[in-house]
Amino acid sequence: MLQRCRRENIKIYTMPKKAGAKSAKAGQPVKAKKRINKAKPVKISSEPKAKSSRRFSRLRGMRDVLPEEYKYWDLVIKKATELARAYDFKTVKTPILESLELYNKSTGKDTDIVAKEMYSFIDKNGDKVALRPELTPSLVRAYIEHGMFNLPQPVKFFTLGPIFRHEKPQAGRYRQSYQFDIEIFGEENPVADFLIILIAYNFFRELQIDVQIQINNIGCQECRPEYIQKLVEYYKARGNRSKLCNDCKKRFTRNPLRLLDCKEAGCLELREEAPQVVDYLCDNCREYFIKVLEYLDELDIPYSLNPYLVRGLDYYNRTVFEVWPIEEEENETSISQQGALGGGGRYDGLVEHMGGRPTPACGLAIGVERTILKIKEKNIPLKKDTANLIFIAQLGDQARRKVIIIFEELRRAGYRVRQAFTKNSLKAQLEEANRIGAKFSLILGQKEVMDETILIRDMDSGIQEVVDFKKARAEIDKRLANGD
Ligand code: HAM
């Protein structure tokens, strides 16, 4: 036993041998015998020495979600799932790790997300891989890889999971964050764009967060080139280009559209006179844009046209939008500086660009952490789901054994039971029952075990009633049905 333990590097303590005990059998290593007698731990060669032990901290920009916060997550995940179901989106899960090339080709290798923020590395096979910086590319890959163009269209996906971006951490901006994401594949009707905006709006409204939709239309393959041409001419003229920030100087050659959403003061000033994309939309895109806006008007969804909104990803065409929280400041409303809560748009060329059949598509992603920050910031009360909670308490070991069985029976039968089996004091157990908002407690002590009865204590009034054990279930049902 000792030898096996040593081989497996397990630290064991053994008692000293009693006087007169038999000596070790022949063949047993002498060293081991010595250790047994001295009752010393068997040292492990690979075990870290006490001196070098260190406390680990989470990585910068990464967060732990502890129970106190998880109740907000619960709420947000429930709302996202409920809406996705209501609008008939099917849940999918894709891997967190994908090939690097997937993002180079879809999100765009010159975008900030891919060029500056992506966690990419070479794995043990020598393959270039990346932790997903967004969910859309994986969903597009899955749609193509599983031949979903053969299914009745549109195909509607819902997913919720982590993304990774090596950004400068600050409130609401993390290196690992979660997105609630929906995508519609195979639908070119503007009502699909409206539908995803409606879901975003409903999500926030039902979580009591006031938001405004900012929307733009960035044209299509037909009309955008002419607009880009005009934009480039504008920035070239009058030496404007030299006034751009360093990032924008690069964007000027790689993706001039992105000059419009730079937040640097000098670039903001320059763009004021820049040509606007809506003035260059082809008839189809203009008509399309108007239809989306008409649907929004129809449902009174507050939006504002933002001619500078282009979004930082390569794949969009036509509709792009973002959801911004509205801040209430003493009789004034303004748009938050903390960042968008969500964003999305149409990407009709991406599925084909990624090797699939031509498939119109649009989608949306909402940041879970930013949503939770807003709920907390606004002190939006969480509804406690304490309806019909039954607490089961025990006094003494015999009662505890019985209570464990009762608890399991009731739980399996669908009752909402709670317990504190590890506690001995009845007072402590009843405090716990009050803390969680139990409707009543079932209490079993030595006497009740002997008499085959159980105490039912109403947690509001404190009134206790002794009930014959055989009739307990009927009494529980009566109290739950009465709402007593
Ligand atoms: P996105 O605008 O990059 O779009 O991200 C959507 C939302 O994710 C943001 O509005 C924000 O709430 C949240 N988010 C992004 N990065 C972080 C971060 N570092 N920390 C905390 N929250 C963050 C997309 O990702 C697109 N895939 C959306 C889409 C879906 N377009 C079409 N379909």
Side-chain angles (χ1 to χ4, degrees), residues 227 230-231 234-235 238 240 259-260 267-277 279-280 307-308:
Y227 171 65
K230 293 284 177 216
L231 198 62
Y234 167 78
Y235 279 100
R238 288 176 275 143
N240 283 346
L259 297 173
L260 296 176
C267 301
L268 284 174
E269 207 184 304
L270 270 183
R271 84 172 185 191
E272 271 173 27
E273 306 220 334
Q276 299 195 351
V277 64
D279 297 327
Y280 294 86
Y308 305 120

Side-chain angles (χ1 to χ4, degrees), residues 113 133-137 163 165 167 172-179 181-183 311 313 315-316 322-323 339-347 362-370:
I113 293 177
E134 55 151 339
L135 294 154
T136 313
I163 59 155
R165 295 183 188 176
E167 297 192 73
R173 176 156 294 136
Y174 310 109
R175 291 183 175 170
Q176 175 178 329
S177 66
Y178 281 69
Q179 285 187 341
D181 187 292
I182 52 174
E183 311 287 347
R311 311 258 308 133
L313 311 149
Y315 45 69
Y316 292 116
E322 281 180 352
V323 187
L341 295 172
R346 180 157 279 282
Y347 51 95
C362 60
L364 145 86
I366 289 172
V368 171
E369 287 85 352
R370 287 191 194 175

